[in-house]
Amino acid sequence: MQKNWTIPGAFRESAERYRDLIAFNILDREWKSITYGEFFALSAAMAFFFTDEGLAKGQRVAILAENRLEWCAAYMAIQLAGGIAVPIDMHLGAHEVRNLLLDSEAWGVCFSAETAGNVAEALEGTGMREIRIDSPFPQGPGLSGFPEVSPDDIASIIYTSGTTGNPKGVILTHGNLCSDAKAVMDAGIVTHEDSILSILPFHHTYPFMCTFLVPVFLGATITLSPGMKAADMIAAIRERGVTVLVAVPRVLELMRNGILGRIRENRFSVILLGLMRLSSSVRRRFDINLGKLIFSSVLKNFGGLRFCASGGARLDPSVMSDLEALGFTVLEGYGLTETSPVITFNPPEKRKPGSAGKPLPGADIMIGEDGEVMVKGPMVFPGYYRNPEVTEASFDGGWFLTGDLGSKDPEGYLYITGRKKEVIILSSGKTVYPEDVEKPYSSIRLIKEICVTGMEKDGVAEALHGIIVPDMDYARDSFIGNIAEALRWKINGVSQGLPEYMRIKGFTMRQEPLPRTPLGKLRRFMVEAEMARPEPERPADTSLVEDAVGRRVFECIRAVMKEEVSVHSTDNLELDLGFDSLRRLEFLTSLEDAFSLDLPETFIAEVQTVGDVVEGLKAQLMGGETSGKRKTTWADILAKDPEEADKKEIALSFSPLETCEASIISFFLRSFIGLFFRLDIEGEENIPMSGGYIIAPNHESYLDGFLIAFSLSPEASRGLYFIGFQTYFTGTITSGLARLAHVIPIDPETYLQRALQMSSFVLRQGKAMCIFPEGGRSIDGNLMPFKKGIGILALELQTPVIPAHIEGSFEAMPRGARFMRPGRIRVRFGKPLSGIEVAAGEDKYQAFADRLKAEVQKLAGKQQG
């Protein structure tokens, strides 16, 4: 490549050299190919049209269109005519587009039929020219009348809002873009014989460089994908002989997840996943691609794909490792719009997961004292358009300050750790990179997206907070009725494996996707701004209240919430209305009363929005409604006996053989626990002589149920029952042990009503129940809020509740521990708690739960004292 090459000069040379070769593959009902000669002729015709219309050298011309052949031709035409291209995101609103056009002082705008409406609104009253690029252009007289351009002339102004705030116009010269293209070409990553799939928007410099400019300079083929759906991309790869896929991490992650999903559904999934681990190890240590042989049936769907390039955002190392284990080759790079954009790339011969790669030829990278990545080289931009103050602040001694934090290993590979402006400094002095925290929590299947921010007090971040978009499809398919509760326990499980300062201490759920750049980077400043913005008042949903079923559903919601609320059909029961498991159950009974229906208990777990409820009820009603059903109360629910199948699960009586087995197991476990943990028991006198009571202890460990059972006399423990999650007791052996241990296996999340009824039945039979009011194990040994279900049972059945506190089980076997540690454990029982006095309007059930928690805390204080 010549030293003083410019874009029009390189384009002319390429078009002449590769005139009869295919430049573009385009799907227009059927695939058709455009040669370099045809592409150059179209670009020249457009260029003549621009000059004939009065475009002068150095004037700005915006391009606002979807990825198409004419977008590329318009860009090259602007360069041939000596103009400056201003690519703009076609998804921006008319107001935003107008601001960018005015700031760039655009001469005109190139657009297509798809963007015509937006452009017309943006241009109203500006006097700027409108150029419809998907219409014919007359053939020009030649190229002799076009102005000469030099490497120092501006080729493009790229407006980027990036992830940190106000859009800035990045000036990129011909020298910037051509030097970066030369560096990529000299690295040997792409060759003249490659066919590159274009799926990312050309207005962003990463796909512009890698799927347009470099292929054109090389004489390679560009295949325009008909869409972003996996089926469209795979078909294009296979049918058009694509060899290079240029993507963002999200695309590769979906590709990985899709393949792994099919593998896990295979009956030989255990073997296949084991082969993946073997392939990954061999690939990592010896760079031998076993996956190409083992998973050839997967790879054949991707034709002759040589490698996948990843850029635009940080790629999760596990995504790269998994894809490479399957036989793909993944090359991750790094760059910014200000660096034209590529400055590093993993060389094909030695790739490192998690690394952004080594600097390209001509790029010089230094890590500043504060960890900021600094860049020098011919691809670095000269400054921001009409913004000298920001330009000056972006350079230090000739080095461009990227705003990214990173490090280099001894071999020169760059690792990006986060954005300088996004680092969270906690009040403890700890430095937290949000991406490092988001990664482990993103492994939770219920989390679709997460953004970690600081919980500030007086301008200082006290702890970390998560803004979470739940995977509602997964929640529905898994019958998760209380998403917040399920998330809380999953998050607690992940938190245990993280340092204290990296744990999120709370979270907020939202339905809308998190705001991102076109290439998938999280716009954290927008998330934080949305969190700080007060909720706007919403107009009433007239379509809901005007519908007969919808109106009664609306009335049921207001009755359950006991307040005036604005309800819309699109409101999520949990995310928008704040329904927990108990409120969902109250809502279910209210609907049954209002519509005189016996709804299945899973009905409320299967619906997500108010609209879902309305449609579900209409399906149940099947065109007929009844009325007059008496309002169901908690007393009614608890008085109803469980079904016969559920009674069998309770195991109120044992056969002689079962009695013998239970006695033997109990003897050995009681002896082991007494010796191994030196069990110390206080307050046994507070346990009633007969059944019909509840023991309510804190919950810190899997050991807690055993500790409570063996803190009682053998006679009392034989009449003690527990509620256990059904997923733990599905096998023949585990279900048998559950029966012997008086564990009632049921999922209270999905079947809360049945769980309450079965507990009530046990208590009415004169038996005792051990119920953990927190609903799950503590992550750090501290008490969590008590749920009001304990209050419903206690007050409606007038059942005494014995508060209990277990000390030492957290140290013996905390969450996540595989083995027990010996030590002293103390169990203290308090005096029975029965009815309480509550203020008018106060929720008596929650008040009882709160009072019970206070009693357990008192017991904890006595033990510590």
Side-chain angles (χ1 to χ4, degrees):
M1 184 175 181
Q2 298 174 11
K3 183 178 180 181
N4 294 323
W5 231 7
T6 61
I7 291 175
F11 181 37
R12 285 194 187 100
E13 184 177 316
S14 178
E16 184 177 343
R17 180 180 301 173
Y18 307 114
R19 172 173 296 276
D20 298 324
L21 297 186
I22 296 173
F24 289 89
N25 287 316
I26 303 165
L27 184 63
D28 183 13
R29 292 195 178 92
E30 60 182 23
W31 287 102
K32 65 178 182 179
S33 299
I34 308 297
T35 66
Y36 271 91
E38 292 168 331
F39 175 51
F40 186 82
L42 175 61
S43 302
M46 283 189 182
F48 174 75
F49 175 83
F50 292 152
T51 56
D52 197 45
E53 286 290 306
L55 176 66
K57 180 181 178 181
Q59 287 187 302
R60 276 73 57 203
V61 184
I63 309 176
L64 190 73
E66 72 279 15
N67 276 21
R68 57 187 303 134
L69 170 69
E70 291 83 1
W71 193 106
C72 301
Y75 185 90
M76 285 305 188
I78 295 166
Q79 304 305 313
L80 289 169
I84 298 172
V86 184
I88 295 178
D89 183 354
M90 64 172 285
H91 294 107
L92 293 178
H95 177 72
E96 295 170 288
V97 171
R98 184 183 181 88
N99 286 342
L100 299 185
L101 294 175
L102 293 174
D103 186 78
S104 64
E105 300 174 309
W107 170 83
V109 181
C110 298
F111 64 94
S112 66
E114 189 169 338
T115 58
N118 201 23
V119 168
E121 185 178 348
L123 288 181
E124 189 174 351
T126 64
M128 296 178 186
R129 288 164 181 78
E130 301 178 30
I131 303 107
R132 177 80 175 267
I133 58 175
D134 53 352
S135 57
F137 286 85
Q139 187 69 38
L143 298 176
S144 57
F146 293 137
E148 292 292 326
V149 296
S150 74
D152 293 331
D153 287 334
I154 301 173
S156 296
I157 297 174
I158 312 293
Y159 281 91
T160 171
S161 60
T163 60
T164 56
N166 296 326
K168 301 185 292 287
V170 177
I171 296 172
L172 293 177
T173 67
H174 287 270
N176 292 147
L177 291 167
C178 288
S179 65
D180 198 59
K182 182 179 185 303
V184 174
M185 293 160 64
D186 289 348
I189 300 168
V190 184
T191 72
H192 161 72
E193 297 178 351
D194 277 311
S195 174
I196 294 91
L197 183 66
S198 174
I199 61 173
L200 304 174
F202 285 136
H203 73 264
H204 196 287
T205 49
Y206 165 51
F208 170 81
M209 177 60 67
C210 297
T211 66
F212 175 39
L213 205 59
V214 167
V216 166
F217 286 2
L218 280 171
T221 300
I222 301 164
T223 297
L224 296 178
S225 176
M228 284 287 286
K229 293 181 180 178
D232 292 335
M233 290 190 291
I234 292 173
I237 290 171
R238 189 171 55 244
E239 294 172 19
R240 307 315 297 172
V242 169
T243 57
V244 178
L245 169 62
V246 177
V248 289
R250 183 60 178 159
V251 171
L252 297 182
E253 184 180 348
L254 291 172
M255 183 170 143
R256 185 272 307 264
N257 292 346
I259 296 171
L260 286 185
R262 290 194 293 274
I263 287 176
R264 291 191 176 105
E265 292 170 0
N266 191 291
R267 60 177 177 169
F268 301 112
S269 60
V270 174
I271 296 173
L272 293 173
L273 292 172
L275 289 172
M276 262 192 71
R277 288 191 290 271
L278 172 64
S279 174
S280 179
S281 178
V282 171
R283 190 87 188 262
R284 187 173 60 253
R285 293 185 180 185
F286 308 109
D287 200 24
I288 297 174
N289 194 350
L290 284 181
K292 199 169 185 179
L293 299 174
I294 299 171
F295 300 101
S296 58
S297 60
V298 173
L299 295 178
K300 71 178 181 181
N301 293 321
F302 293 87
L305 193 65
R306 284 202 307 118
F307 69 83
C308 305
S310 178
R314 186 182 179 192
L315 178 67
D316 186 334
S318 68
V319 174
M320 176 178 174
S321 296
D322 287 344
L323 286 174
E324 295 227 326
L326 291 164
F328 296 94
T329 296
V330 180
L331 306 182
E332 183 177 6
Y334 163 74
L336 301 94
T337 302
E338 290 87 344
T339 59
S340 301
V342 187
I343 50 176
T344 70
F345 227 91
N346 271 271
E349 65 275 7
K350 188 172 184 180
R351 306 160 310 285
K352 292 188 178 183
S355 168
K358 302 177 75 171
L360 289 178
D364 195 5
I365 295 177
M366 181 174 71
I367 307 299
E369 293 182 0
D370 58 355
E372 184 171 7
V373 179
M374 305 163 69
V375 184
K376 266 185 180 181
M379 65 283 294
V380 176
F381 79 131
Y384 295 103
Y385 185 64
R386 302 199 311 175
N387 205 333
E389 294 83 6
V390 176
T391 298
E392 185 178 357
S394 300
F395 287 86
D396 183 4
W399 290 90
F400 170 58
L401 307 175
T402 65
D404 288 317
L405 298 171
S407 62
K408 290 199 293 185
D409 69 12
E411 294 182 276
Y413 283 75
L414 178 67
Y415 292 81
I416 302 298
T417 56
R419 290 288 296 172
K420 187 175 180 179
K421 292 182 179 180
E422 295 172 354
V423 172
I424 301 171
I425 309 296
L426 297 174
S427 57
S428 62
K430 291 288 187 180
T431 298
V432 179
Y433 300 107
E435 286 186 357
D436 291 344
V437 179
E438 289 158 359
K439 181 181 175 182
Y441 289 110
S442 294
S443 65
I444 297 172
R445 185 65 183 83
L446 189 52
I447 293 179
K448 191 173 186 178
E449 293 185 278
I450 181 171
C451 174
V452 170
T453 64
M455 295 172 61
E456 293 192 354
K457 182 179 180 182
D458 299 327
V460 179
E462 296 287 337
L464 301 179
H465 186 82
I467 294 90
I468 293 173
V469 180
D471 189 329
M472 304 305 293
D473 292 335
Y474 175 76
R476 182 183 58 249
D477 295 342
S478 303
F479 295 100
I480 297 174
N482 190 339
I483 297 172
E485 196 64 20
L487 274 174
R488 189 169 290 111
W489 298 122
K490 295 291 185 182
I491 286 170
N492 285 347
V494 171
S495 293
Q496 188 170 2
L498 299 175
E500 177 69 27
Y501 69 93
M502 288 182 66
R503 299 173 181 175
I504 62 175
K505 301 300 183 182
F507 62 89
T508 302
M509 294 188 295
R510 55 180 279 162
Q511 291 194 69
E512 302 79 16
L514 295 175
R516 295 181 180 275
T517 67
L519 295 191
K521 285 185 180 178
L522 193 58
R523 285 174 165 161
R524 298 181 189 278
F525 72 96
M526 292 180 66
V527 176
E528 293 169 359
E530 289 176 13
M531 292 292 293
R533 192 181 304 131
E535 286 286 335
E537 291 189 12
R538 301 185 301 172
D541 187 343
T542 54
S543 63
L544 180 66
V545 296
E546 289 174 358
D547 180 88
V549 175
R551 183 168 58 254
R552 290 163 77 177
V553 169
F554 172 68
E555 291 167 354
C556 289
I557 291 172
R558 291 180 61 176
V560 168
M561 298 186 73
K562 299 180 176 64
E563 59 179 309
E564 296 288 331
V565 289
S566 175
V567 180
H568 286 237
S569 297
T570 56
D571 282 348
N572 184 280
L573 296 180
E574 184 172 359
L575 303 187
D576 296 311
L577 301 180
F579 280 22
D580 58 13
S581 295
L582 282 169
R583 185 159 282 182
R584 278 176 174 265
L585 182 52
E586 290 178 281
F587 183 44
L588 179 70
T589 58
S590 180
L591 292 173
E592 289 180 329
D593 294 337
F595 293 93
S596 297
L597 289 171
D598 286 321
L599 296 171
E601 192 176 349
T602 54
F603 174 84
I604 208 65
E606 293 169 350
V607 295
Q608 294 182 358
T609 67
V610 175
D612 292 342
V613 175
V614 173
E615 293 306 313
L617 285 169
K618 287 179 178 178
Q620 292 282 335
L621 292 166
M622 296 292 290
E625 298 183 28
T626 58
S627 60
K629 184 177 178 182
R630 183 179 68 83
K631 180 173 175 58
T632 305
T633 64
W634 284 116
D636 296 328
I637 292 173
L638 299 182
K640 186 178 179 181
D641 279 355
E643 297 178 2
E644 289 303 316
D646 289 340
K647 287 182 181 180
K648 291 180 180 179
E649 296 284 352
I650 295 173
L652 289 175
S653 61
F654 285 164
S655 67
L657 178 60
E658 288 176 324
T659 300
C660 181
E661 290 173 340
S663 298
I664 293 171
I665 293 172
S666 175
F667 172 78
F668 281 107
L669 287 177
R670 184 181 292 270
S671 301
F672 171 77
I673 285 176
L675 293 172
F676 195 76
F677 296 116
R678 293 173 288 160
L679 193 58
D680 186 7
I681 307 165
E682 296 182 39
E684 300 102 316
E685 67 277 7
N686 292 319
I687 303 296
M689 298 298 293
S690 59
Y693 60 86
I694 299 172
I695 298 176
N698 60 313
H699 198 11
E700 300 180 348
S701 168
Y702 278 136
L703 299 171
D704 294 338
F706 297 102
L707 295 169
I708 291 295
F710 298 134
S711 295
L712 305 180
S713 66
E715 182 180 353
S717 66
R718 281 195 292 271
L720 184 65
Y721 286 74
F722 301 83
I723 292 288
F725 281 94
Q726 194 166 17
T727 51
Y728 298 140
F729 303 101
T730 54
T732 303
I733 296 176
T734 54
S735 61
L737 289 174
R739 177 179 172 83
L740 294 177
H742 287 168
V743 175
I744 304 170
I746 191 171
D747 184 357
E749 179 64 46
T750 306
Y751 302 103
L752 178 61
Q753 181 171 322
R754 282 173 59 197
L756 288 172
Q757 287 174 342
M758 292 168 81
S759 299
S760 170
F761 180 74
V762 168
L763 292 167
R764 287 188 279 111
Q765 304 308 306
K767 305 295 183 181
M769 288 290 302
C770 177
I771 296 175
F772 297 103
E774 295 164 276
R777 290 170 294 146
S778 171
I779 186 174
D780 55 9
N782 294 319
L783 275 181
M784 297 182 295
F786 279 21
K787 301 184 180 304
K788 72 176 183 180
I790 189 77
I792 293 171
L793 286 170
L795 298 181
E796 293 297 339
L797 300 178
Q798 297 183 357
T799 300
V801 178
I802 294 91
H805 185 267
I806 306 169
E807 180 186 17
S809 66
F810 184 79
E811 291 74 17
M813 194 176 184
R815 287 176 64 104
R818 295 185 179 181
F819 304 103
M820 298 179 290
R821 293 193 290 264
R824 180 175 294 279
I825 291 180
R826 291 177 179 150
V827 178
R828 185 182 183 91
F829 298 102
K831 294 185 180 299
L833 182 67
S834 53
I836 61 168
E837 295 183 4
V838 296
E842 187 177 5
D843 186 332
K844 62 181 180 179
Y845 306 123
Q846 189 59 58
F848 183 92
D850 295 341
R851 170 74 183 281
L852 179 62
K853 179 182 177 182
E855 293 298 319
V856 175
Q857 285 176 320
K858 287 181 184 177
L859 294 174
K862 288 182 180 179
Q863 290 190 352
Q864 292 168 1

